[in-house]
Amino acid sequence: MNRALFPSDAAYHAVQLPPNYLGASEESQIERRIDGFVKSLKDLKLDLDDLRQQLGKPIRVAWANRSYFYPTDLHKKPDYNLFVLCSASKRVHGAEVSEGGYIQGAGDDSEGWAQGLTPPVFWAHKAILLKTPEEDLPELVEELVKEHRDQDTAEQATLVAPTRNLYISQTNASINDCGLYDLVIDCNGRPEASEGDPKRLNLGCRLSKLGSRDLRQELDKVRAFVSSQLATDPSRSLLVTCETGKDLSAGALLAIMCLFYNDDGSFTTCPARRSIDKQFIRQRLAWILSSKHDVNPSRPTLQSVNAFLMERPDY
């Protein structure tokens, strides 16, 4: 990030790693890959000037676990942003292939152990979480997550920039039927419920991996719906929802943006004239992730979208 956003601040360009954790060869391999990561970030064609303005200053990194903090003398200062990278896992020497040992659970997805607890929920209830006995935490976390989920679904959907009319949210009657959005695609809604309504498309996808497979079969309907509805009036708003607001809806939106939206976020009526490859798809996916940070499309969902976009015939 420092190399991409603050190229003139060379003092912050060095790889910041904790000492005595990785072997020299591993550190060297990481160092050699940084420039490639910078190129990949730039290739996403995000608004880096806006990101630089939001961040304001370069990043310094500190490392922490249950018994370790490095650098010990690093504190917040006005000339950099301090990011503390934390792990609750133990370090096991002599395990796995790493020269420096293995961090138990460090590569696991948070969905597997956090029980739905997210950073916003944690910080909003930090005091009660820290003083609650460990055996009572699962029940408390479940209550807090449900409370925040109910609050989230009461809010409006998220606009996916740089488009000016595409929105994403969790399926919720108060949002879907509020009249704020001209068109609605519900990835999990029953298809028969939208029959006869030209402004609504229910795909009937099942949940989890089965839903991702279903989505692959339904994307032709999505393409036809968007083409017929937005070609005459591209300014109409389109809301795409699914049960979580993070998976199938993101996949459907990704397909829509790849097919119908230019680099400036404007609708195009000539989807057949563009070349769609994995890099192009990654660029459009970055729009969604930048707009709604909790979006997390599954691998099967992304595979379904990739297969549809890259194997489609010319229309």
Side-chain angles (χ1 to χ4, degrees):
M1 293 295 290
N2 287 339
R3 295 187 192 186
L5 300 182
F6 304 97
S8 61
D9 292 326
Y12 295 95
H13 290 183
V15 179
Q16 303 170 49
L17 296 171
N20 305 318
Y21 259 67
L22 300 176
S25 64
E26 286 182 277
E27 291 188 352
S28 176
Q29 291 175 51
I30 293 172
E31 169 68 36
R32 289 198 299 269
R33 298 187 68 179
I34 298 300
D35 286 337
F37 295 151
V38 173
K39 181 180 183 302
S40 295
L41 175 60
K42 292 180 177 179
D43 286 345
L44 293 177
K45 298 183 179 179
L46 298 172
D47 188 346
L48 296 186
D49 289 335
D50 179 64
L51 183 56
R52 182 185 302 109
Q53 186 175 4
Q54 291 186 49
L55 194 57
K57 47 195 174 183
I59 297 169
R60 286 291 305 274
V61 171
W63 304 81
N65 62 23
R66 288 181 288 181
S67 60
Y68 180 89
F69 188 90
Y70 176 84
T72 56
D73 59 346
L74 187 60
H75 303 285
K76 292 175 64 176
K77 289 186 178 180
D79 51 345
Y80 58 76
N81 292 293
L82 177 59
F83 283 18
V84 180
L85 307 181
C86 306
S87 173
S89 305
K90 292 181 180 179
R91 180 186 180 194
V92 181
H93 288 278
E96 298 294 317
V97 296
S98 171
E99 299 174 36
Y102 172 59
I103 308 298
Q104 289 182 332
D108 294 344
D109 292 333
S110 61
E111 292 88 343
W113 52 263
Q115 297 181 298
L117 186 66
T118 60
V121 177
F122 172 82
W123 289 110
H125 303 279
K126 174 185 173 183
I128 188 173
L129 284 166
L130 293 181
K131 70 180 182 182
T132 298
E134 186 171 351
E135 62 270 18
D136 297 329
L137 279 174
E139 182 178 355
L140 174 62
V141 169
E142 182 179 359
E143 293 175 0
L144 296 177
V145 169
K146 183 179 184 303
E147 175 186 326
H148 277 256
R149 184 182 297 119
D150 292 341
Q151 292 175 359
D152 289 342
T153 55
E155 298 175 357
Q156 293 186 9
T158 300
L159 173 66
V160 178
T163 78
R164 292 168 287 280
N165 68 326
L166 295 183
Y167 295 82
I168 184 172
S169 83
Q170 184 178 3
T171 300
N172 182 272
S174 64
I175 296 178
N176 288 19
D177 304 327
C178 66
L180 289 176
Y181 308 99
D182 299 312
L183 308 168
V184 176
I185 297 177
D186 184 345
C187 295
N188 301 114
R190 295 181 297 108
E192 58 270 21
S194 64
E195 290 180 359
D197 186 348
K199 296 183 178 181
R200 186 181 184 92
L201 176 65
N202 289 356
L203 301 182
C205 297
R206 291 168 290 181
L207 304 180
S208 192
K209 291 183 179 180
L210 294 176
S212 299
R213 296 174 190 166
D214 294 338
L215 181 64
R216 170 65 181 88
Q217 306 304 318
E218 300 298 322
L219 287 175
D220 268 322
K221 296 179 183 177
V222 172
R223 179 195 60 80
F225 178 80
V226 173
S227 178
S228 64
Q229 294 294 333
L230 292 184
T232 55
D233 185 2
S235 67
R236 285 197 284 184
S237 57
L238 170 60
L239 170 66
V240 183
T241 72
C242 69
E243 185 199 31
T244 64
K246 303 175 183 180
D247 186 16
L248 298 182
S249 54
L253 258 182
L254 178 58
I256 291 168
M257 292 190 300
C258 287
L259 288 171
F260 295 105
Y261 282 77
N262 292 321
D263 288 345
D264 62 356
S266 61
F267 181 84
T268 175
T269 56
C270 303
R273 298 181 182 177
R274 63 176 54 185
S275 174
I276 296 179
D277 56 18
K278 288 186 177 180
Q279 179 58 34
F280 183 87
I281 296 172
R282 279 194 289 267
Q283 291 170 359
R284 294 299 187 263
L285 178 60
W287 290 2
I288 303 175
L289 299 177
S290 299
S291 300
K292 193 172 190 294
H293 300 159
D294 63 345
V295 164
N296 186 26
S298 65
R299 182 183 297 271
T301 293
L302 293 177
Q303 288 174 337
S304 291
V305 174
N306 284 356
F308 172 77
L309 292 172
M310 298 176 68
E311 297 173 8
R312 67 190 180 93
D314 289 335
Y315 295 109

